[in-house]
Amino acid sequence: MNIAHVLDGHAADSVALISRNRTTTYGELRDQINHLRGGLASIGVGRGDRVALLCGNGRHFVITYFATVGLGAVAVPLNPLSPAPELETEIAAVGAKVVVIEKLSAGTWANVDRSQVPTVATVISSEHGSGPEGTQSVDELLTADPVPIAEVASDDDAALIFTSGTAGLPRAARLTHGNNHANIEQSKATDVLQPSDLIYGVLPLFHIFGLNIVMTTGLAVGATVMLVQRFDPHTAAESISGRQVTVVPGAPAMWTAFTHFDELPADTFTSVRVALSGASKLPVATFHAMRDRFGVEVAEGYGLTETSATVTTSLGAPIRPGSVGRAFDGVEIRLINTDGHDVLVGDIGEIWVRGDNVFPGYYGDDPATAVVLSPDGWLQTGDMAVADDDGFLYLVDRAKDLVIVSGFNVYPAEVEGVLTMHPDVHEAGVVGVPHPHTGEAVKAFVVVRHDADVDEETLIEFCLGHVARYKCPSKVMFVDELPRNTTGKLVRRRLDDALSVS
């Protein structure tokens, strides 16, 4: 098996991708991937090698991803807009042999300290002549003779996706060919996506939602995926209406943005047959606003990187506002209380998941894997929920302190670590706070060193140099001390109380 086979069998003249107003048919896409697979093999990429992708939503991401996994190598999609220190950490953590950059990420890559990523042997650029000396271009590699898809075992890794969803600081979740195949088949079994669909692909492809639900599942059914680099409600609405898009997946922040954009006509989404929301809870008010104003019912789902994307879906049944739906066929769910027992219907419990889509663990981190994955295969998600008599799940809260900004996971410890790197910061605490556009935003509470002279803007700018923008605090509060328990552990739920001592 190999997940690259999802592209097989579709009509050669059917359109697979629309990217930057350029169409690529399935025949053209398969041909480009076949040649690039040969090009990667010619520079020594083989089974198990890690290839980091610093690419935005576009054709180059798609062909590089499938060429990589088709060799039995492992794709590592990274945020192309991450600052150099973050990229250095992630690339070093997985020991990437090859890095693929685009114009979008070329500037950041130029700031990467190559001594921090010693395993990188080759840099490939989508733009000829772009990148440091010695960089090869995708076009050059596309001239290589094609090589066949390598057959692999179901438990061979296909991708490493960085996440902090269930185990603290960012770690690379291993997603196998079997994991990906299982989730694609679970999604296809709902019969929601059709070959005639045009899917709006603005969700970043380095995010599991964009990677496996939008791109891989969309291409697996033979649909057309329209890849979009950035979201703004006006341009998105024009594209959806003008091109008659039929499927729109997005994070709650996207749907909320549409409802807050007063200029959108009521018929903006008349072509949309399926509207999907995931990555965090969709506000019930947003559901009603989309339905009442545009006639669109947004179906919620629930999943994690560690489950290869999805666990539950609202599709295939009448949508219940506030619910993320029921489990896919082949996926088991339990709600567990603090004593380790299944809760009664209507009681709150932690979501545990088991199925072929559940990952085997974090790359090179057995202790972190053991924290979240039981010996008999149950993933302990850290998310709290209630189930009704019909098996519909309602998310309540997170057992951990994860913050979700526009669908992206932000773990407070990572941001706190960056803040305390500043010479004027003694300690820091970070929480998520509600935000009308992004769902949540990062708020930091900082204790500065004696006689320090630092302001909010300076600390935010400092963070921008070390982590992605969505992880940076939007608000910094200066306090005299942080709340801690008797063992000295930071009590984040009491951080707002710290303001009273400032």
Side-chain angles (χ1 to χ4, degrees), residues 255 274-278 282 287 297-301 313-315 319 323:
W255 298 111
V274 178
L276 303 172
S277 183
L282 179 75
F287 173 88
E297 288 198 342
V298 181
E300 280 195 85
T313 180
S314 296
L315 296 169
I319 295 173
S323 172

Side-chain angles (χ1 to χ4, degrees), residues 139-340:
D139 287 343
E140 291 170 342
L141 296 179
L142 284 171
T143 64
D145 292 334
V147 299
I149 293 174
E151 298 305 317
V152 298
S154 63
D155 59 356
D156 282 349
D157 291 343
L160 298 175
I161 312 294
F162 276 90
T163 178
S164 54
T166 62
L169 293 172
R171 294 176 171 89
R174 297 171 50 211
L175 299 184
T176 67
H177 287 264
N179 293 150
N180 285 288
H181 177 75
N183 204 241
I184 289 168
E185 292 303 309
Q186 290 158 358
S187 298
K188 287 171 63 178
T190 64
D191 292 325
V192 170
L193 296 181
Q194 304 296 327
S196 58
D197 278 323
L198 175 57
I199 304 171
Y200 187 71
V202 73
L203 288 164
L205 296 180
F206 63 83
H207 188 279
I208 192 64
F209 195 175
L211 180 71
N212 273 5
I213 300 304
V214 177
M215 183 188 80
T216 309
T217 303
L219 295 175
V221 301
T224 301
V225 180
M226 182 171 70
L227 295 172
V228 181
Q229 288 277 23
R230 297 178 182 84
F231 172 78
D232 77 77
H234 178 71
T235 304
E238 284 187 339
S239 297
I240 291 168
S241 177
R243 288 190 177 269
Q244 294 292 283
V245 170
T246 59
V247 178
V248 182
M254 184 183 82
W255 298 111
T256 301
F258 284 139
T259 65
H260 287 175
F261 195 58
D262 295 334
E263 298 176 17
L264 294 185
D267 63 353
T268 296
F269 303 100
T270 53
S271 65
V272 176
R273 186 175 59 81
V274 178
L276 303 172
S277 183
S280 61
K281 287 176 61 175
L282 179 75
V284 174
T286 298
F287 173 88
H288 288 301
M290 284 297 302
R291 184 182 63 183
D292 297 345
R293 183 175 167 192
F294 301 112
V296 173
E297 288 198 342
V298 181
E300 280 195 85
Y302 166 72
L304 307 91
T305 302
E306 291 88 345
T307 60
S308 312
T310 39
V311 172
T312 70
T313 180
S314 296
L315 296 169
I319 295 173
R320 303 184 183 187
S323 172
V324 294
R326 293 183 288 200
F328 280 103
D329 290 341
V331 176
E332 299 177 80
I333 291 179
R334 299 172 66 190
L335 297 183
I336 304 297
N337 63 21
T338 54
D339 295 325

Side-chain angles (χ1 to χ4, degrees), residues 320 325-327 345 387-394:
R320 303 184 183 187
R326 293 183 288 200
V345 173
D388 63 20
D389 290 326
D390 298 318
F392 282 78
L393 212 62
Y394 297 79

Side-chain angles (χ1 to χ4, degrees), residues 472-493:
C472 294
S474 60
K475 186 69 178 175
V476 177
M477 309 299 295
F478 293 92
V479 297
D480 293 333
E481 61 182 18
L482 300 180
R484 298 186 180 276
N485 63 17
T486 54
T487 63
K489 183 178 179 180
L490 176 67
V491 183
R492 290 193 177 89
R493 67 178 180 274

